Amino acid sequence: MDHSRFPVIEVFGPTVQGEGMVIGQKTMFIRMAGCDYRCSWCDSAFTWDGSGKADIRMLSAAEIVDELRTIAGDTFSHVTVSGGNPALLPRLGELISLLHASGTAVALETQGSIWQEWFLDIDELTLSPKPPSSGMTTDWSVLDVIVDGLTDERRSFSLKVVVFDEADLAYARSIHHRYTATPFYLQAGNGDVREQDGNLLLHMLLDKYKWLVEQVMSSAEFKNVRVLPQLHAWLWGNKRGY
C-alpha cells in the first residue's frame, strides 16, 4: 500500500461546520474512508460499512489540495478533515502541512482511540469519545494519553460528547469530571439518520436539543459547558455532501 495516498471518499464545500468547537465556521470538507468504530447511530457509516466503497479514491496530498481549489477556488481558508476516523492515517501530517503552506487552517474530529503526532499540528482538534448509545467502549488509558499529550503541548483542542439519553448524559458527566480543564461541548444526537423528510427530522432534532438544554441548565455539575445542536442536520437533514 502507498502510504503517501489517502482514502478520500468525498470532498465538498464550502459549507457551514455543523458540530463542535468550530460550529458555524465556513469550511471545506475532506472525508476519509475507514473507521475503527462501528457506532450504532453513525451518520457516515458509508465510510466504513462497504456501501461507499466505490466512491473511495486514493489521492495524494497535492491532489487533494488541487481538488479543493477546483471545487471552491479562492472562496475558503479553512478545511475540516473528517471520516470515519482520520486518526487511522499515520501520514496525514503531509496533507496538513500542505494545507498550512497554502494559508489554510485545519480542523479535525476523532473519537480519541488512537494517538498521532500530527495531532499537534491541527489548528482545532475535537476529541469526541463515544457514549453508551453508540455500542462502543472507551479505552480510558488511550484517551488519557491523548488528552495529556495535547495539554502538555498547549494545543487548541476540546472534548465533545453526543447525547441521546440519560445514560449518555451520565457518560458525558464522567468525561467532564475526568478532564475538567478541557473545553467541553455537549451535542444533541440525531436519532434517525435515515429520515428523508427534512421538516420531520428538524422537529425531532429540536425536541432532542430542548431536552438536552433543560438537563444541562438544571445541573450543578455541568457549569462551564456549551450545548450544541447538529447544525448541518437542522439545515440539510441527512443529505450527504453538505
Side-chain angles (χ1 to χ4, degrees), residues 59 63 78 81 112 232:
L59 302 180
E63 288 170 339
H78 189 279
V81 183
H232 59 288

Side-chain angles (χ1 to χ4, degrees), residues 7 9-10 31-35 37-38 42-53 56 82-85 240:
I9 200 163
E10 56 183 359
R31 190 180 299 280
M32 301 294 184
C35 193
Y37 276 19
R38 299 291 184 267
C42 181
D43 61 2
S44 53
F46 59 90
T47 63
W48 51 262
D49 68 3
S51 62
K53 186 176 180 180
I56 299 172
S82 185
N85 184 10
R240 276 181 58 178

Side-chain angles (χ1 to χ4, degrees), residues 16-220:
V16 172
Q17 171 59 259
E19 303 186 1
M21 65 190 294
V22 287
I23 190 169
Q25 170 71 50
K26 180 181 180 181
T27 190
M28 295 293 290
F29 267 86
I30 306 165
R31 190 180 299 280
M32 301 294 184
C35 193
D36 51 327
Y37 276 19
R38 299 291 184 267
C39 295
S40 60
W41 36 251
C42 181
D43 61 2
S44 53
F46 59 90
T47 63
W48 51 262
D49 68 3
S51 62
K53 186 176 180 180
D55 296 328
I56 299 172
R57 295 172 296 148
M58 299 303 296
L59 302 180
S60 68
E63 288 170 339
I64 294 171
V65 173
D66 285 346
E67 183 157 332
L68 289 166
R69 294 298 174 191
T70 297
I71 293 171
D74 191 32
T75 64
F76 69 96
S77 61
H78 189 279
V79 166
T80 299
V81 183
S82 185
N85 184 10
L88 291 171
L89 305 171
R91 297 192 61 176
L92 196 63
E94 180 183 345
L95 174 60
I96 297 163
S97 295
L98 200 57
L99 288 167
H100 282 164
S102 68
T104 303
V106 182
L108 184 140
E109 180 173 316
T110 178
Q111 55 260 45
S113 59
I114 301 167
W115 165 262
Q116 295 289 359
E117 286 296 324
W118 51 256
F119 282 1
L120 301 176
D121 298 322
I122 297 292
D123 299 290
E124 294 136 344
L125 178 64
T126 298
L127 302 178
S128 184
K130 305 309 178 188
S133 63
S134 70
M136 299 294 103
T137 301
T138 300
D139 186 330
W140 295 102
S141 62
V142 174
L143 189 56
D144 284 347
V145 166
I146 296 173
V147 171
D148 288 348
L150 293 167
T151 302
D152 290 345
E153 294 294 330
R154 299 185 180 181
R155 305 308 301 165
S156 176
F157 78 104
S158 66
L159 282 157
K160 184 193 80 177
V161 176
V162 179
V163 175
F164 287 85
D165 54 31
E166 294 284 355
D168 289 353
L169 201 58
Y171 173 86
R173 198 174 292 115
S174 69
I175 292 281
H176 191 39
H177 286 172
R178 193 178 186 97
Y179 310 110
T180 55
T182 304
F184 189 68
Y185 295 77
L186 292 168
Q187 182 174 295
N190 177 359
D192 192 347
V193 297
R194 294 181 176 82
E195 177 59 61
Q196 294 304 304
D197 185 326
N199 289 327
L200 180 59
L201 180 65
L202 180 57
H203 283 295
M204 293 190 306
L205 293 173
L206 185 56
D207 285 345
K208 182 61 71 174
Y209 182 59
K210 287 179 178 177
W211 171 82
L212 182 57
V213 168
E214 290 169 358
Q215 298 302 308
V216 173
M217 296 308 112
S218 62
S219 171

